[in-house]
Amino acid sequence: MSTALPVVRARWCDIGRIADLVAEALAPTASAAWLVPDPSRRLPVLAAVARIWTEHALLFGDAFLLRDGSAATVWFHRYRPIPSPHRYADRLASAAGPDENRFRRLGEELAARRPVEPHNHLALLAAPRGGAVQALSASQRRMDTLSLPTYAHPCAGEQEELLRRRLGYAERETFAAPDGTPVRSLWRSAPLPAGGNDRWRNRRAGRREHDDRAVGPAAR
């Protein structure tokens, strides 16, 4: 019997697909309405900003897609400081236009709350038509081989938070986003003793059951 996980590691050619999934999943939320008040601009702006962060994750983390391309997760390896995306200010201004300051304010708030200890950062979970359980559980197994705790801040409501709690996440703190929306950050302890899978860690460092629709925000 095959033990292959239902996710595959994303490649550069998958960035557009992941950005579209993030935009589709995030668009109906209150946070997205605050970030991009104009409904006619919301999807393209969200996708353009998600592309910036997904590209950055392929350089300083990982991204995974379900094999059918219907859901994705985007992660950063924060076992050391990482820079902002290349030419971030210019790219954000181009992607967000008049809404640039809202994205900047949200990013700064999320960055200020992020833990300083080494961790894997689950920055995006996008499953607009289902598949969040499979996408998150399988990609979490991949990331657990690094023997680091995981930090996340879900924004798609109770269902996404319940899913993460099923996978061992616990509440870390609750704070207000710039639009006033409560954001509950979650923390998942490292599942393996230190040094769990050195071959995976060295390779990564060396190259630098209900409706389960979900999305999580990108953050600096």
Side-chain angles (χ1 to χ4, degrees), residues 34-38 41 45 92-104:
W34 178 79
L35 285 168
V36 189
D38 183 352
R41 299 179 60 251
V45 170
L92 182 62
S94 177
D99 303 311
E100 173 192 359
N101 188 54
R102 294 172 184 258
F103 281 93
R104 190 179 302 281

Short mmCIF file of all heavy atoms in Angstrom, two decimals, residues 34-38 41 45 92-104:
data_model
loop_
_atom_site.label_atom_id
_atom_site.label_comp_id
_atom_site.label_asym_id
_atom_site.label_seq_id
_atom_site.Cartn_x
_atom_site.Cartn_y
_atom_site.Cartn_z
N TRP A 34 -11.69 44.76 4.62
CA TRP A 34 -10.99 45.92 5.15
C TRP A 34 -9.73 46.21 4.34
O TRP A 34 -9.44 47.37 4.02
CB TRP A 34 -10.62 45.68 6.61
CG TRP A 34 -9.84 46.82 7.20
CD1 TRP A 34 -10.34 48.02 7.65
CD2 TRP A 34 -8.42 46.89 7.38
NE1 TRP A 34 -9.31 48.81 8.10
CE2 TRP A 34 -8.12 48.14 7.96
CE3 TRP A 34 -7.37 45.99 7.13
CZ2 TRP A 34 -6.82 48.53 8.26
CZ3 TRP A 34 -6.08 46.37 7.44
CH2 TRP A 34 -5.80 47.63 8.00
N LEU A 35 -9.00 45.17 3.98
CA LEU A 35 -7.77 45.36 3.21
C LEU A 35 -8.05 45.99 1.85
O LEU A 35 -7.31 46.88 1.40
CB LEU A 35 -7.05 44.02 3.03
CG LEU A 35 -6.32 43.45 4.24
CD1 LEU A 35 -5.92 42.00 3.99
CD2 LEU A 35 -5.10 44.29 4.59
N VAL A 36 -9.08 45.50 1.17
CA VAL A 36 -9.42 45.98 -0.17
C VAL A 36 -10.91 46.31 -0.20
O VAL A 36 -11.74 45.45 -0.53
CB VAL A 36 -9.08 44.94 -1.25
CG1 VAL A 36 -9.22 45.56 -2.65
CG2 VAL A 36 -7.67 44.38 -1.07
N PRO A 37 -11.30 47.51 0.16
CA PRO A 37 -12.72 47.85 0.26
C PRO A 37 -13.49 47.74 -1.06
O PRO A 37 -14.70 47.44 -1.05
CB PRO A 37 -12.70 49.30 0.75
CG PRO A 37 -11.38 49.47 1.42
CD PRO A 37 -10.43 48.59 0.65
N ASP A 38 -12.84 47.94 -2.18
CA ASP A 38 -13.51 47.88 -3.48
C ASP A 38 -13.66 46.43 -3.91
O ASP A 38 -12.67 45.77 -4.24
CB ASP A 38 -12.68 48.65 -4.51
CG ASP A 38 -13.34 48.69 -5.89
OD1 ASP A 38 -14.36 48.01 -6.09
OD2 ASP A 38 -12.80 49.40 -6.76
N ARG A 41 -11.89 45.13 -7.08
CA ARG A 41 -10.44 45.03 -7.06
C ARG A 41 -9.95 43.93 -6.13
O ARG A 41 -8.77 43.58 -6.15
CB ARG A 41 -9.81 46.37 -6.62
CG ARG A 41 -10.10 47.55 -7.50
CD ARG A 41 -9.44 48.82 -6.97
NE ARG A 41 -7.99 48.68 -6.89
CZ ARG A 41 -7.30 48.58 -5.76
NH1 ARG A 41 -7.92 48.58 -4.59
NH2 ARG A 41 -5.98 48.45 -5.79
N VAL A 45 -6.11 42.12 -6.30
CA VAL A 45 -5.14 42.69 -5.35
C VAL A 45 -4.67 41.63 -4.37
O VAL A 45 -3.46 41.49 -4.10
CB VAL A 45 -5.76 43.88 -4.61
CG1 VAL A 45 -4.86 44.32 -3.45
CG2 VAL A 45 -5.97 45.05 -5.56
N LEU A 92 4.83 45.95 -3.21
CA LEU A 92 3.55 46.10 -2.51
C LEU A 92 2.77 47.30 -3.05
O LEU A 92 1.56 47.21 -3.25
CB LEU A 92 3.79 46.26 -1.02
CG LEU A 92 2.52 46.38 -0.17
CD1 LEU A 92 1.67 45.12 -0.28
CD2 LEU A 92 2.87 46.66 1.29
N ALA A 93 3.47 48.38 -3.31
CA ALA A 93 2.79 49.56 -3.86
C ALA A 93 2.18 49.24 -5.22
O ALA A 93 1.04 49.66 -5.52
CB ALA A 93 3.78 50.72 -3.98
N SER A 94 2.90 48.50 -6.04
CA SER A 94 2.38 48.12 -7.35
C SER A 94 1.21 47.17 -7.25
O SER A 94 0.23 47.27 -7.99
CB SER A 94 3.51 47.50 -8.18
OG SER A 94 3.03 47.07 -9.44
N ALA A 95 1.28 46.21 -6.30
CA ALA A 95 0.23 45.20 -6.18
C ALA A 95 -1.03 45.75 -5.54
O ALA A 95 -2.15 45.43 -5.98
CB ALA A 95 0.75 44.02 -5.35
N ALA A 96 -0.87 46.58 -4.50
CA ALA A 96 -2.03 47.01 -3.71
C ALA A 96 -2.56 48.38 -4.10
O ALA A 96 -3.70 48.70 -3.76
CB ALA A 96 -1.67 46.99 -2.23
N GLY A 97 -1.75 49.19 -4.74
CA GLY A 97 -2.23 50.51 -5.15
C GLY A 97 -2.69 51.33 -3.95
O GLY A 97 -1.96 51.47 -2.96
N PRO A 98 -3.91 51.88 -4.01
CA PRO A 98 -4.39 52.74 -2.93
C PRO A 98 -4.57 52.03 -1.59
O PRO A 98 -4.75 52.68 -0.56
CB PRO A 98 -5.73 53.27 -3.45
CG PRO A 98 -6.16 52.25 -4.45
CD PRO A 98 -4.90 51.75 -5.09
N ASP A 99 -4.55 50.71 -1.60
CA ASP A 99 -4.72 49.94 -0.36
C ASP A 99 -3.39 49.53 0.27
O ASP A 99 -3.37 48.77 1.24
CB ASP A 99 -5.55 48.68 -0.64
CG ASP A 99 -6.90 49.02 -1.25
OD1 ASP A 99 -7.58 49.91 -0.70
OD2 ASP A 99 -7.26 48.42 -2.28
N GLU A 100 -2.29 50.04 -0.27
CA GLU A 100 -0.97 49.65 0.21
C GLU A 100 -0.82 49.82 1.71
O GLU A 100 -0.30 48.94 2.41
CB GLU A 100 0.11 50.48 -0.49
CG GLU A 100 1.50 50.28 0.05
CD GLU A 100 2.48 51.32 -0.46
OE1 GLU A 100 2.07 52.19 -1.27
OE2 GLU A 100 3.65 51.27 -0.05
N ASN A 101 -1.26 50.96 2.25
CA ASN A 101 -1.04 51.23 3.67
C ASN A 101 -1.77 50.24 4.57
O ASN A 101 -1.28 49.90 5.65
CB ASN A 101 -1.49 52.66 4.00
CG ASN A 101 -1.10 53.06 5.41
OD1 ASN A 101 0.08 52.99 5.78
ND2 ASN A 101 -2.08 53.48 6.22
N ARG A 102 -2.93 49.74 4.13
CA ARG A 102 -3.66 48.77 4.93
C ARG A 102 -2.87 47.45 5.03
O ARG A 102 -2.77 46.86 6.11
CB ARG A 102 -5.05 48.52 4.33
CG ARG A 102 -5.96 49.72 4.40
CD ARG A 102 -7.26 49.49 3.63
NE ARG A 102 -8.09 50.66 3.62
CZ ARG A 102 -9.16 50.84 4.39
NH1 ARG A 102 -9.52 49.91 5.25
NH2 ARG A 102 -9.88 51.95 4.30
N PHE A 103 -2.34 47.00 3.91
CA PHE A 103 -1.51 45.79 3.95
C PHE A 103 -0.27 46.01 4.81
O PHE A 103 0.15 45.11 5.55
CB PHE A 103 -1.10 45.40 2.54
CG PHE A 103 -2.17 44.69 1.76
CD1 PHE A 103 -3.03 45.39 0.94
CD2 PHE A 103 -2.32 43.31 1.85
CE1 PHE A 103 -4.03 44.74 0.22
CE2 PHE A 103 -3.31 42.65 1.14
CZ PHE A 103 -4.17 43.36 0.32
N ARG A 104 0.32 47.19 4.71
CA ARG A 104 1.52 47.47 5.49
C ARG A 104 1.21 47.46 6.98
O ARG A 104 1.96 46.89 7.78
CB ARG A 104 2.12 48.81 5.07
CG ARG A 104 3.50 49.07 5.65
CD ARG A 104 4.03 50.41 5.16
NE ARG A 104 4.08 50.44 3.71
CZ ARG A 104 5.02 49.87 2.99
NH1 ARG A 104 6.01 49.20 3.59
NH2 ARG A 104 5.01 49.95 1.67
#
